[in-house]
Amino acid sequence: YLTTCRMTCADVSSRPLPAPFRLYVYALHGCLCEVVFTAVWDWCITQDRRLTGHSSLWALPMYATAMYVMESLRARLLAHGWPLPLRLMAYALFIYLWEFLWGLGLMFLGACPWDYSGFRYNLCGLVTLEYLLPWSVGAFIVEQHVIRNTLRIRLLP
């Protein structure tokens, strides 16, 4: 009995957290980072010490699914030996495409919560090159910490 239990526990603990739980972690991480980023960004622009960041409920599925897709992208890039700078470039391109497509869909619904048309290097107000560095830093954090550590989480019976 003890041997069977150990094998069962080992089998369960070797599997990563199920997808719905990972999506939940990714959604919360993305929204928290967005609130912090917008608070700091606004403080840098307006010197508003209240640090009132903001987000949208649309960000939950957007960040959750983006990081979930990045899991597969990360695995493929690592398997092919891509160095970190090239992976970050690939992630940044992915993020811009993801944000643009989500923005188009949300614009169609009349629900897009962001507008970058005030930025110099924007495309349809949906993406802006001014955010390349923050997106790259975010991609680094997501790859090196969020995805890696989320995949390490195990549920025990």
Side-chain angles (χ1 to χ4, degrees):
Y1 170 77
L2 208 47
T3 305
T4 305
C5 180
R6 283 187 190 140
M7 286 176 55
T8 305
C9 292
D11 291 340
V12 169
S13 66
S14 67
R15 288 183 281 164
L17 199 60
F21 293 102
R22 295 196 319 269
L23 287 164
Y24 178 75
V25 169
Y26 298 152
L28 292 181
H29 172 77
C31 282
L32 174 63
C33 287
E34 183 169 356
V35 169
V36 170
F37 177 80
T38 56
V40 171
W41 185 271
D42 289 348
W43 176 74
C44 289
I45 302 300
T46 66
Q47 302 299 309
D48 185 351
R49 294 183 194 158
R50 294 175 299 152
L51 296 175
T52 54
H54 56 275
S55 188
S56 163
L57 286 179
W58 288 111
L60 290 167
M62 187 172 72
Y63 285 119
T65 54
M67 287 184 234
Y68 190 74
V69 171
M70 283 180 69
E71 274 185 16
S72 297
L73 182 57
R74 173 184 177 266
R76 289 179 184 176
L77 297 179
L78 289 172
H80 287 92
W82 284 39
L84 182 61
L86 287 179
R87 292 195 314 269
L88 291 178
M89 287 174 45
Y91 297 143
L93 287 172
F94 167 74
I95 289 167
Y96 275 110
L97 177 63
W98 200 257
E99 183 178 33
F100 186 79
L101 293 175
W102 269 89
L104 278 177
L106 291 172
M107 272 181 57
F108 179 74
L109 296 173
C112 190
W114 67 89
D115 180 5
Y116 300 133
S117 56
F119 288 84
R120 184 173 180 173
Y121 302 106
N122 78 84
L123 178 61
C124 303
L126 298 176
V127 293
T128 181
L129 282 179
E130 282 90 342
Y131 280 7
L132 181 60
L133 181 61
W135 280 133
S136 298
V137 170
F140 176 79
I141 292 167
V142 166
E143 183 203 65
Q144 297 290 311
H145 300 289
V146 180
I147 291 173
R148 190 177 77 185
N149 290 319
T150 300
L151 290 174
R152 289 180 178 172
I153 298 171
R154 302 293 187 254
L155 294 179
L156 298 175

